[in-house]
Amino acid sequence: MKNLVAYITTGFPSLEFTVDAAHTLHEAGVDSLELGVPFSDPVADGPIIEHANLLSLQNGFKIDQLFSISKQIAPVIDTLWMGYFNSFYHKGFDTFVAEAKRSGLSGFIIPDLPYEEAVPYQKQMRNAGMTLIDFIAPTDTPERIAMIAKNAKKFIYLVAYAGITGSGKAESLDDIISGIRTHTDTPIYVGFGVDENTAKDKVKGVDGVIVGSALVKVLLDTHLSHKEKLNKIGSLAREIKEKINE
Amino acid sequence: MTKKPNDIYIPKPSPHDPDELGHFGIFGGRYVPETLMTALEQLNKDYQSVRFDPRFWKEVDYYYKNYVGRPSPLYFAQNISKELGAKVYLKREDLNHTGAHKINHTIAQALLAKRLGKKKIIAETGAGQHGVATATVAALFNLECEIFMGEKDVARQELNVFRMKLLGAKVHPVTSGSRTLKDAMNDAIRHWVTHARDTYYIIGTVAGPHPYPMMIRDIQSIIGWEAKAQILEVEQRLPDKVIACIGGGSNAIGIFNHFLEDKEVECIGIEAGGLGIDTDKHGASLEKGSPGVLHGQMSYLLQDEDGQILEAHSISAGLDYPGIGPEHAYLKEQGIAKYDNITDAEALDAFVWLSQSEGIIPAFESSHAVAYLKKIDKSSIKGKLIIVNISGRGDKDMMQAKDILKDQFKD
């Protein structure tokens, strides 16, 4: 069975929606949830997720709200926080680790904290029984892939192309995937540009996919009601889960 | 009036060089998406290979002397010196081609980009000075050039946008976030993540991921290297104080670097005080910010209690940035350099003062450094030898100045 990880931006359109969405996505067969921590300057993200981040902040999102709703969400579905390093650093990485542990999270995904800078935090996460997810990009050299893959746990976030989230580009990842496999048995999940149309193709040779912008696009659709949005992300997730397991 | 150094400038190792991963103490580093790591490692390797290579710097020197007009004069400001009872020299970076110190690093970085075989260069810009300096070297070295500029700044700096276009660059108005310099840099990074294989990113200041802060500091240090030789030639001694304004901090680190080893020289960086540092409208990241990560580096940032980045404010677009180069954060924490700030009103006052006292119209940015001469206690500078870095000329600020000062200069 290949796995599906879903990303949604916390607090958008509302905190209630985020909690409801966790239930819906779980019921639709999503294996893990990336709970996005809104940040003012999300440089790894394309316009869709960036916009959701800014709208959530305009709605008055605070980090304390992430902590409180995570306690409701983590018992429902395997949950990780996805955010930019400054959010973690400024509140205190220790605080984040303690809160995550209290809520029962399984890890963090921090796209602007590459391997070298992550070393001390990686250790701290492991000691707390959680994982700081490692990224591998198509631009990485074989030496770099070896260094990162050897220590990676839970799953490796393989970036599908050189770019930002939510664009439609494609690159051949075959060599990278076989390169990673020589160093580790840790599952490989592909993220960036995965939607209902591309999922089947993107999952080839890997163990799962990560879907973000395709879901957030639904959240941004002002013509849909709370319930319609839930139904739509539920059916999208179900469709993608089926396609990656065909 | 002052001797022009005839040697070729070549950077030398600094006691404050970062570690191998680019850390100045806890500051600096590389906080970027994984996709950029290989490009940064390659850039670091390539920069290290030319860092002390006389052949590379000889080529840079050719353009400095024949195209930029270096060395820039160190001018004894006779009238304000008399008024202050101090000996004030001005380092005239405003006389460089394109009107500011930015051309120093765009020339050297464009030559590096060519060496790396890149055909395209990109840059972010606030007021447009760095954008113009980048578009200029793109024309000179036949490189394709795209400039990212916040939509708000595009509207405010119409003339510089036209200048960049005239030079052959493509200007992208950035519509995300606060639509200013910070967001222009976000979008430049996003573009670079997508095109790192064939594109060189010319960052406009001593900020961003390693090796940029070190590399741009090395390049801009020609300012202080010249100034030191020039002041020793005329005065036969080192200055007591060296003063420069700070946005990201490239002109300041450029003039400080060769004086940091001299304990008797006090280096003072001037941040944008905006409407006052007790309001929420200023650009004083060192004074009012706290350590954090933005644009690929750890440094001081203006941020709220959740670590969301705040908008900066300054009358000068070049100082209107919520962060600062990581080496300045380190120099401040170590007490190696001193930092202070100047408000919009004080800077405007100095803008008029220098114009009318010396016939030199400084950029709004540089006006902050000039204003510090009036802020410090007069008795503490009596008889002292001071160098102020005039990082740029005020031509670009004429429209804004005309509007703000219209009552003062009506018939």
Side-chain angles (χ1 to χ4, degrees):
Chain A
M1 189 76 153
K2 301 208 172 185
N3 284 351
L4 173 59
V5 179
Y7 165 95
I8 52 169
T9 306
T10 306
F12 183 74
S14 65
L15 290 166
E16 297 71 39
F17 183 89
T18 306
V19 177
D20 291 346
H23 285 273
T24 303
L25 292 169
H26 170 64
E27 284 153 22
V30 170
D31 299 280
S32 302
L33 181 68
E34 263 187 53
L35 212 45
V37 185
F39 181 53
S40 53
D41 297 80
V43 290
D45 285 302
I48 295 169
I49 293 180
E50 188 206 5
H51 196 50
N53 270 253
L54 295 184
L55 290 176
S56 176
L57 291 172
Q58 280 168 18
N59 281 350
F61 168 83
K62 301 304 283 178
I63 299 284
D64 287 338
Q65 296 172 326
L66 170 81
F67 294 159
S68 64
I69 68 161
S70 294
K71 291 187 180 74
Q72 301 170 55
I73 291 172
V76 178
I77 184 168
D78 176 51
T79 306
L80 303 95
W81 285 330
M82 183 278 171
Y84 289 82
F85 186 57
N86 198 53
S87 304
F88 295 81
Y89 184 79
H90 189 70
K91 271 272 181 196
F93 203 82
D94 294 350
T95 307
F96 266 77
V97 170
E99 287 286 347
K101 219 178 152 160
R102 206 166 299 147
S103 300
L105 260 76
S106 63
F108 299 167
I109 300 174
I110 309 179
D112 62 343
L113 189 68
Y115 185 82
E116 289 84 345
E117 296 293 348
V119 170
Y121 305 107
Q122 190 75 263
K123 208 171 150 200
Q124 195 177 345
M125 287 292 278
R126 271 179 206 168
N127 291 340
M130 294 181 288
T131 308
L132 185 53
I133 299 298
D134 283 297
F135 282 82
I136 288 179
T139 46
D140 284 340
T141 58
E143 299 75 40
R144 199 168 164 81
I145 290 171
M147 174 177 82
I148 298 170
K150 267 180 198 151
N151 298 304
K153 294 280 178 314
K154 193 170 166 82
F155 66 84
I156 288 168
Y157 194 130
L158 177 59
V159 177
Y161 51 80
I164 50 178
T165 59
S167 98
K169 291 179 38 174
E171 291 190 28
S172 169
L173 298 171
D174 298 348
D175 292 346
I176 302 238
I177 293 165
S178 56
I180 298 171
R181 299 278 193 216
T182 61
H183 302 290
T184 181
D185 296 328
T186 301
I188 304 169
Y189 296 175
V190 166
F192 285 38
V194 182
D195 61 21
E196 67 278 22
N197 301 314
T198 60
K200 195 177 168 175
D201 196 44
K202 297 243 182 194
V203 84
K204 277 184 192 147
V206 299
D207 311 290
V209 295
I210 302 161
V211 180
S213 302
L215 297 171
V216 175
K217 212 189 285 176
V218 177
L219 272 51
L220 286 166
D221 188 343
T222 48
H223 301 293
L224 300 178
S225 68
H226 181 104
K227 199 153 181 242
E228 285 167 334
K229 285 180 187 176
L230 286 175
N231 288 341
K232 200 156 174 192
I233 60 168
S235 60
L236 257 177
R238 206 166 282 118
E239 184 184 347
I240 294 170
K241 184 75 190 263
E242 276 165 22
K243 283 195 169 149
I244 59 175
N245 284 295
E246 267 172 17
Chain B
M1 121 167 281
T2 54
K3 190 192 165 190
K4 301 194 165 189
N6 289 316
D7 300 343
I8 289 173
Y9 169 71
I10 300 172
K12 55 174 195 175
S14 154
H16 311 299
D17 271 345
D19 70 14
E20 254 178 49
L21 299 177
H23 299 113
F24 302 88
I26 66 160
F27 302 107
R30 285 175 299 191
Y31 296 87
V32 294
E34 179 60 31
T35 311
L36 287 179
M37 288 302 286
T38 301
L40 288 171
E41 285 193 338
Q42 191 59 44
L43 176 60
N44 188 39
K45 223 186 274 170
D46 288 314
Y47 177 63
Q48 295 293 354
S49 77
V50 301
R51 191 178 179 200
F52 308 121
D53 179 358
R55 281 167 306 176
F56 178 74
W57 295 100
K58 199 175 163 192
E59 196 181 357
V60 173
D61 182 72
Y62 170 81
Y63 291 100
Y64 280 174
K65 289 203 170 103
N66 298 289
Y67 188 76
V68 176
R70 299 207 73 87
S72 66
L74 184 73
Y75 172 69
F76 174 61
Q78 53 198 38
N79 300 322
I80 61 170
S81 291
K82 205 167 167 190
E83 187 180 333
L84 295 167
K87 266 190 155 174
V88 179
Y89 282 81
L90 306 177
K91 181 62 174 162
R92 301 289 309 276
E93 291 297 301
D94 58 313
L95 294 178
N96 291 341
H97 178 44
T98 73
H101 68 293
K102 298 287 185 198
I103 193 79
N104 298 335
H105 73 242
T106 60
I107 290 268
Q109 287 196 78
L111 287 169
L112 187 59
K114 272 180 85 93
R115 252 178 196 243
L116 303 184
K118 311 277 184 187
K119 302 260 186 295
K120 298 177 186 173
I121 53 176
I122 57 166
E124 84 292 342
T125 195
Q129 289 308 98
H130 175 60
V132 168
T134 303
T136 299
V137 297
L140 173 63
F141 297 118
N142 193 24
L143 296 160
E144 231 177 273
C145 177
E146 294 186 41
I147 305 292
F148 294 83
M149 188 172 185
E151 199 181 40
K152 235 188 235 172
D153 293 330
V154 168
R156 287 195 286 204
Q157 303 286 340
E158 226 182 305
L159 214 51
N160 267 344
V161 173
F162 178 71
R163 235 174 238 153
M164 289 182 262
K165 287 182 178 166
L166 176 65
L167 290 160
K170 201 159 131 192
V171 180
H172 292 285
V174 172
T175 55
S176 59
S178 58
R179 295 176 292 130
T180 60
L181 177 57
K182 153 180 104 68
D183 310 282
M185 196 151 175
N186 287 343
D187 265 24
I189 293 173
R190 289 185 180 111
H191 181 91
W192 196 37
V193 169
T194 313
H195 301 283
R197 289 177 175 117
D198 68 350
T199 301
Y200 184 100
Y201 180 15
I202 299 190
I203 293 183
T205 187
V206 284
H210 181 62
Y212 283 102
M214 177 186 78
M215 177 172 72
I216 295 168
R217 173 258 269 157
D218 282 354
I219 298 169
Q220 289 292 0
S221 292
I222 190 172
I223 303 173
W225 178 79
E226 285 177 4
K228 197 168 181 175
Q230 290 166 324
I231 197 87
L232 287 173
E233 176 69 22
V234 213
E235 294 286 342
Q236 287 85 46
R237 75 174 187 96
L238 289 168
D240 299 298
K241 294 178 198 297
V242 175
I243 304 168
C245 65
I246 302 192
S250 64
N251 91 82
I253 211 101
I255 196 160
F256 291 173
N257 195 31
H258 280 83
F259 291 108
L260 292 175
E261 63 203 45
D262 304 306
K263 295 274 177 288
E264 63 269 46
V265 181
E266 188 180 28
C267 292
I268 309 166
I270 307 299
E271 293 192 286
L275 302 184
I277 57 166
D278 295 323
T279 70
D280 60 358
K281 297 237 177 309
H282 58 76
S285 330
L286 284 175
E287 180 68 28
K288 302 293 279 188
S290 55
V293 168
L294 180 69
H295 296 149
Q297 56 163 12
M298 169 90 66
S299 190
Y300 273 79
L301 291 177
L302 297 177
Q303 50 188 332
D304 72 9
E305 70 281 6
D306 272 1
Q308 310 294 352
I309 310 305
L310 297 172
E311 271 183 60
H313 165 86
S314 171
I315 190 172
S316 107
L319 307 185
D320 196 349
Y321 180 65
I324 187 158
E327 191 171 355
H328 283 296
Y330 173 78
L331 295 177
K332 180 193 157 83
E333 290 224 328
Q334 298 291 315
I336 298 165
K338 190 183 150 184
Y339 296 88
D340 207 324
N341 57 79
I342 283 292
T343 63
D344 286 353
E346 290 166 328
L348 260 180
D349 181 56
F351 172 79
V352 175
W353 181 52
L354 193 70
S355 298
Q356 302 196 341
S357 307
E358 300 287 348
I360 295 170
I361 304 176
F364 277 171
E365 291 78 6
S366 320
S367 300
H368 286 70
V370 175
Y372 191 68
L373 292 169
K374 288 190 139 180
K375 184 179 176 179
I376 34 176
D377 184 9
K378 224 174 162 180
S379 64
S380 75
I381 55 168
K382 194 118 199 115
K384 298 281 196 229
L385 186 57
I386 301 169
I387 299 178
V388 179
N389 198 19
I390 305 298
S391 55
R393 67 176 90 122
D395 302 30
K396 69 176 175 62
D397 300 312
M398 282 304 120
M399 298 296 283
Q400 206 184 340
K402 184 172 158 244
D403 188 44
I404 303 170
L405 298 170
K406 58 182 181 291
D407 292 338
Q408 197 175 331
F409 293 102
K410 66 183 169 210
D411 302 326

